[in-house]
Amino acid sequence: MAFTWKDKKDIWKGEGVYFLTFVVKNRVDMLGRLQPLCSPDKDGHIAAVDTTELGNAVYREFNALQSRYPGFSVVAKQVMPNHFHAVCWCKGEFGELSIKMVARGFAQACSRVAREMYRLRLDRSATDGTGGTDGQDGRGGTLSEDGKGGTLSE
């Protein structure tokens, strides 16, 4: 593929490599927790992200995009405590689809999953007699107390 600049109106359409970042509303640490390593690993990293159940769901949702959109490939992805980075490659079969449309659908799917997880946790706490929530997802990720769970925004 030869590199050419796209017209401004077409910048988000068709073939190309895109770097995407999705941020949790209010930057709440819902997707994981940064865990310091005792010593740098072989690549020099000094910390790792211990993902929450929601962080794992975000990974799954993003991977599922490859089967939903022909020509869409995940090059790299990383869950951080309050945001998610991805590099994707949209090849010729992607056609005239807009990466914005794909990103919006992904963010909506993640928000739906977060709300479902929040509701399930509320249901569990009501049936086991704990009488409410402590605002935690069990692994350190805080869920919003507005009843909506967390939402990812573009």
Side-chain angles (χ1 to χ4, degrees):
M1 173 172 96
F3 179 80
T4 58
W5 287 104
K6 294 182 178 184
D7 290 334
K8 198 170 194 173
K9 65 179 177 53
D10 294 327
I11 195 82
W12 300 106
K13 291 183 180 176
E15 192 167 352
V17 176
Y18 299 92
F19 180 84
L20 306 173
T21 299
F22 299 88
V23 179
V24 175
K25 187 175 182 179
N26 299 324
R27 289 208 173 256
V28 177
D29 291 348
M30 294 178 64
L31 305 179
R33 208 176 1 189
L34 213 49
Q35 297 294 327
L37 300 175
C38 294
S39 59
D41 66 10
K42 64 181 179 61
D43 296 321
H45 301 131
I46 59 171
V49 178
D50 181 23
T51 55
T52 62
E53 185 180 352
L54 181 57
N56 291 329
V58 167
Y59 265 127
R60 286 190 303 274
E61 285 293 326
F62 200 77
N63 284 333
L65 293 176
Q66 294 178 110
S67 61
R68 283 186 217 133
Y69 299 100
F72 181 89
S73 297
V74 176
V75 176
K77 59 191 176 301
Q78 179 63 51
V79 168
M80 300 301 288
N82 61 16
H83 62 285
F84 174 73
H85 294 294
V87 177
C88 55
W89 180 21
C90 300
K91 297 173 257 188
E93 311 90 87
F94 196 67
E96 286 301 309
L97 283 173
S98 164
I99 193 66
K100 279 186 165 183
M101 181 180 68
V102 174
R104 187 173 296 115
F106 168 70
Q108 290 169 347
C110 290
S111 294
R112 185 188 78 256
V113 168
R115 286 190 300 273
E116 289 170 3
M117 286 181 173
Y118 185 76
R119 284 188 193 113
L120 284 172
R121 195 171 52 80
L122 285 176
D123 291 345
R124 277 194 305 257
S125 67
T127 58
D128 69 11
T130 58
T133 69
D134 60 2
Q136 299 293 317
D137 71 356
R139 293 185 63 197
T142 305
L143 296 173
S144 65
E145 296 296 327
D146 62 5
K148 296 178 183 172
T151 58
L152 293 179
S153 57
E154 294 177 69

